[in-house]
Amino acid sequence: MQGSLGLLGLLLLISLSSLKAQQHTDSIRLNQVGFYPHGPKRAVVLGAKPGKFFIVTADLHHTVYTGYLRTTPGKKAFVADFSAFQAAGTYSVQVPGIGLSHPFQVRGQVHAEVARAALKSYYFQRASTALPPRYAGQWSRSAGHPDTAVLVHPSAASVARPSGTVLHSPRGWYDAGDYNKYVVNSGITLGTLLALYEDFPAYCERLRTNIPESTNQLPDVLDESLWNLRWLLSMQDPHDGGVYHKLTNASFDAMVMPAAARSPRYLVQKSTAATLDFAAVMAQASRITRRFAAQVPGLADSCLRAATSAWQWAEAHPQLHYRQAEINRKAAPVISTGEYGDEDLSDEALWAATELYITTGQAAYFEAMQPALRQAPAVPSWGQVQALAFYTLARFRPQLPTHTQQELKFVDQQLLALADTLVAGGAQRPYQTPMGHRLSDFNWGSNANAANQGVVLIQAFRLSGNRQYLRAALDNLDYLLGRNATGYSFVTGFGSKPPQFPHHRPSAADNVVAPVPGLLVGGPNPGRQDGCQYPSQQPDQAYVDQLCSYASNEVAINWNAPLVYLSSALEALADNLDAATRRSGKSQHKPGGQVTRKP
Ligand code: G3I
Ligand code: 9MR
């Protein structure tokens, strides 16, 4: 008895120690999903000394590449650059004295599944419908929030629709970890997803996500967008064209499944921000759905009518801000859900005017675009959408009338200038990314800044053909998938160390161990407004994978959209990355590294 226990113990010890020998260190930070065969490949190594690093096969039997660590300025970290290694397979980086990195793949279409899952996540966010196992797998669930009897809140009361009027406003996507539906945030989300379709239509035709509409003639990204767009149409008051700011509970639902959340829902005050964002998206959707008149008859016209009347309402009410505290002083019930308040609407007005101009060609909209057109754009966020107007102008400029060309040159120049500020100094930063170019990159939803910077860089590549922008865009995807100061891959279900406990009600309440996949969490946020325990307060490390952390670990539709765009665009453009690497020397004798042996 004793002898056999001893043997068992010995066996256990042997297997534990070989497990330990193979344990992956957190000190080597890299994209945990992988790399394109001919693309750039970098890992950042913490706590290392100068010396060699190795690329080893997953079974640890072969060393396939040997390189030298390069120090970063400030000597805070070392970079292992193995771009010259191009053979497909599964590998780890090994650094003597440090250990073995998380495994990664080298292969073509290495981010295809990330892109697909990031888009599919919107299906999981659908309100008012059941998600059957056929489409949702282990995350199938019953329908929640029918939104067929929504109440007009006193703040939204009008003669035609007095307080308490019951309205129909089903479908749409849940905003985030909560179950409310906010027009402003839907605006930038749809604008970004529709921009992906307009910039990469052929790629979008191939991007299939196994949703109920996958078998129809529309690309899935459009079908998914229509789920939210049809809800959005119902947020407009047909009597005057104004758009309600949000459809919301009075306070956030408990951490329960959608079907178990039954609180009354309200349409609150109309706002200029919501109405302008609505106008922009409807104008954009109108020109896109016009190409599919056979599949969605009449929709293009409905969208354009909606956009036009929204624009007119906003012209008549240019500064009607949604200020929740003010409303709560006057009206009941008190509303305590997300505010999405914005006091500067010049960018929303520019965006709406631009989309309407591109769709209709009417000179009045071109005039309305002045003078905001002359302002330098910023990386987009829910409250700052000027860049979305610039993306649209850059896309359509070649088809616009000659008299506009001089003025619109500014757009291209400014987008390139913005991209240049993102690229500048990247090599000096510890993680070698545009992300972190300013300390203010790290705020609530910082990961969306990384993704949106990536979108700016893709735009700059499209305008200039300069591959430096494309590589910088990939740097930010590498950041999101693990080459960052936390060591997490920030997309649920991807990489070896992804978030397990996102602030996402269905993931918390569904009794499934794995969270809903394809969701980008908010990321490092030194503001720590949730009051949870964080392992670090450093701006780039202030992240905690805990359910309580809505300020760093929530998910949101406006954060996922630039991830969908960035990962899809890189998939669509990956050949250009290849050529760039080959041009800069395909040599297996590149300084600093050598291919040791084919696996
Ligand atoms: O505007 C000020 C700026 O003037 C100031 O310099 C800066 C310094 O902190 O703060 C800026 O305000 C920030 C605001 O976002 C605008 O960027 C606030 O600090 C910050 O707390 C606020 O965070 C927002 C958060 O809601 C709280 O309102 C996030 O951007 C926004 O993504 C998030 O959205 C929530 C919804 O309300 C509800 N649904 C979930 C969703 C995701 O968490
Ligand atoms: O779950 C809510 C999340 O979606 C919001 O982003 C966040 C900030 O508005 O608030 C969360 O709800 C919390 C509320 O603000 C305070 N009480 C606890 C709630 C759930 O954690």
Side-chain angles (χ1 to χ4, degrees):
M1 191 74 180
Q2 261 214 333
S4 69
L5 258 186
L7 187 65
L8 255 177
L10 189 69
L11 283 174
L12 195 71
L13 205 72
I14 291 170
S15 61
L16 271 182
S17 58
S18 60
L19 195 74
K20 198 169 170 218
Q22 293 192 32
Q23 242 170 27
H24 298 286
T25 172
D26 229 12
S27 301
I28 305 177
R29 305 283 165 82
L30 45 58
N31 180 330
Q32 296 166 23
V33 173
F35 304 90
Y36 295 105
H38 299 283
K41 302 173 194 69
R42 279 186 290 175
V44 168
V45 188
L46 307 180
K49 298 198 189 73
K52 286 184 181 174
F53 71 91
F54 307 98
I55 306 297
V56 297
T57 52
D59 59 11
L60 304 185
H61 289 166
H62 303 281
T63 297
V64 291
Y65 183 85
T66 305
Y68 286 92
L69 296 172
R70 170 168 63 73
T71 183
T72 59
K75 298 199 167 56
K76 288 208 176 118
F78 284 85
V79 179
D81 189 329
F82 51 104
S83 304
F85 177 70
Q86 300 181 342
T90 305
Y91 311 97
S92 282
V93 176
Q94 189 176 41
V95 180
I98 302 290
L100 207 58
S101 76
H102 294 298
F104 57 85
Q105 288 193 302
V106 173
R107 67 173 175 92
Q109 300 180 5
V110 71
H111 297 117
E113 289 309 313
V114 173
R116 198 188 321 283
L119 176 57
K120 179 69 179 268
S121 77
Y122 290 89
Y123 173 72
F124 291 111
Q125 291 294 97
R126 287 186 184 188
S128 322
T129 190
L131 311 184
R134 186 168 167 209
Y135 305 113
Q138 61 178 327
W139 299 282
S140 70
R141 60 167 172 82
S142 317
H145 303 88
D147 289 340
T148 45
V150 179
L151 302 167
V152 172
H153 187 259
S155 63
S158 61
V159 176
R161 291 178 161 185
S163 169
T165 304
V166 179
L167 294 171
H168 202 251
S169 191
R171 293 184 279 224
W173 298 313
Y174 297 130
D175 184 55
D178 65 327
Y179 292 143
N180 304 297
K181 304 191 289 196
Y182 307 82
V183 170
V184 164
N185 212 36
S186 277
I188 182 169
T189 304
L190 281 170
T192 305
L193 293 176
L194 296 179
L196 172 69
Y197 175 73
E198 290 196 302
D199 287 344
F200 300 98
Y203 178 81
C204 287
E205 295 287 347
R206 301 194 299 271
L207 181 56
R208 293 297 171 93
T209 54
N210 181 33
I211 54 177
E213 302 81 6
S214 286
T215 49
N216 72 12
Q217 297 305 303
L218 251 58
D220 285 359
V221 66
L222 294 186
D223 276 317
E224 193 55 66
S225 296
L226 290 186
W227 187 266
N228 203 49
L229 193 98
R230 290 201 163 101
W231 160 68
L232 203 53
L233 279 167
S234 73
M235 290 298 282
Q236 184 174 43
D237 181 350
H239 301 96
D240 64 5
V243 178
Y244 302 104
H245 193 70
K246 57 177 169 175
L247 188 165
T248 183
N249 291 4
S251 54
F252 289 111
D253 281 310
M255 286 287 168
V256 296
M257 291 302 282
R262 303 263 169 73
S263 310
R265 311 262 277 177
Y266 299 91
L267 292 174
V268 299
Q269 188 207 286
K270 292 166 194 163
S271 75
T272 312
T275 306
L276 286 169
D277 285 342
F278 173 101
V281 164
M282 289 301 162
Q284 188 181 14
S286 174
R287 64 173 179 262
I288 293 172
T289 52
R290 197 161 302 282
R291 303 186 207 170
F292 297 95
Q295 288 79 27
V296 282
L299 185 58
D301 291 334
S302 302
C303 289
L304 190 54
R305 266 196 306 275
T308 311
S309 57
W311 174 259
Q312 285 160 357
W313 185 92
E315 276 196 312
H317 306 85
Q319 299 291 337
L320 191 44
H321 299 292
Y322 183 81
R323 293 179 180 139
Q324 198 150 276
E326 262 176 35
I327 292 170
N328 283 340
R329 277 196 288 276
K330 291 182 253 164
V334 159
I335 305 287
S336 61
T337 55
E339 180 167 29
Y340 290 116
D342 187 356
E343 299 286 318
D344 178 355
L345 303 180
S346 56
D347 51 309
E348 284 77 9
L350 172 68
W351 185 33
T354 300
E355 300 299 347
L356 277 157
Y357 174 62
I358 296 298
T359 299
T360 66
Q362 288 172 19
Y365 294 120
F366 191 72
E367 275 152 39
M369 285 155 58
Q370 324 293 335
L373 192 57
R374 290 262 138 210
Q375 275 164 35
V379 173
S381 61
W382 60 260
Q384 178 43 262
V385 291
Q386 183 178 352
L388 273 70
F390 277 42
Y391 300 165
T392 292
L393 289 168
R395 182 183 311 130
F396 289 100
R397 185 160 84 97
Q399 290 132 261
L400 294 178
T402 333
H403 70 89
T404 64
Q405 295 297 328
Q406 197 50 34
E407 217 150 340
L408 294 180
K409 263 191 194 147
F410 178 82
V411 167
D412 297 11
Q413 287 159 1
Q414 288 297 315
L415 277 175
L416 292 171
L418 177 59
D420 287 337
T421 65
L422 296 173
V423 170
Q428 268 77 54
R429 288 187 279 280
Y431 293 89
Q432 312 280 293
T433 54
M435 181 56 182
H437 81 302
R438 288 190 190 142
L439 218 50
S440 58
D441 281 355
F442 299 102
N443 61 4
W444 192 317
S446 65
N447 283 339
N449 297 334
N452 272 311
Q453 290 172 1
V455 178
V456 169
L457 290 160
I458 297 285
Q459 295 289 327
F461 171 73
R462 284 166 53 82
L463 281 172
S464 67
N466 181 345
R467 292 172 174 137
Q468 181 197 5
Y469 296 128
L470 199 59
R471 286 194 290 264
L474 181 59
D475 280 329
N476 268 12
L477 187 58
D478 287 345
Y479 170 94
L480 291 173
L481 296 173
R483 202 174 86 215
N484 61 58
T486 70
Y488 279 90
S489 160
F490 289 122
V491 182
T492 54
F494 287 86
S496 311
K497 195 183 175 188
Q500 301 291 349
F501 309 104
H503 187 89
H504 180 239
R505 281 166 173 74
S507 294
D510 64 4
N511 289 320
V512 176
V513 173
V516 169
L519 295 165
L520 179 67
V521 297
N525 171 19
R528 297 171 293 127
Q529 292 89 336
D530 46 40
C532 306
Q533 286 285 327
Y534 284 57
S536 170
Q537 305 186 13
Q538 292 298 316
D540 60 353
Q541 293 177 51
Y543 168 75
V544 61
D545 179 22
Q546 289 297 327
L547 177 61
C548 85
S549 184
Y550 53 76
S552 84
N553 206 32
E554 191 167 353
V555 307
I557 56 172
N558 63 314
W559 304 340
N560 247 74
L563 174 67
V564 175
Y565 188 110
L566 177 60
S567 52
S568 301
L570 284 166
E571 280 293 304
L573 296 171
D575 284 351
N576 300 278
L577 279 168
D578 294 8
T581 315
R582 272 190 232 128
R583 231 184 21 171
S584 71
K586 70 170 171 190
S587 152
Q588 306 207 325
H589 316 288
K590 223 183 161 184
Q594 277 210 8
V595 176
T596 328
R597 173 131 74 92
K598 290 264 178 257

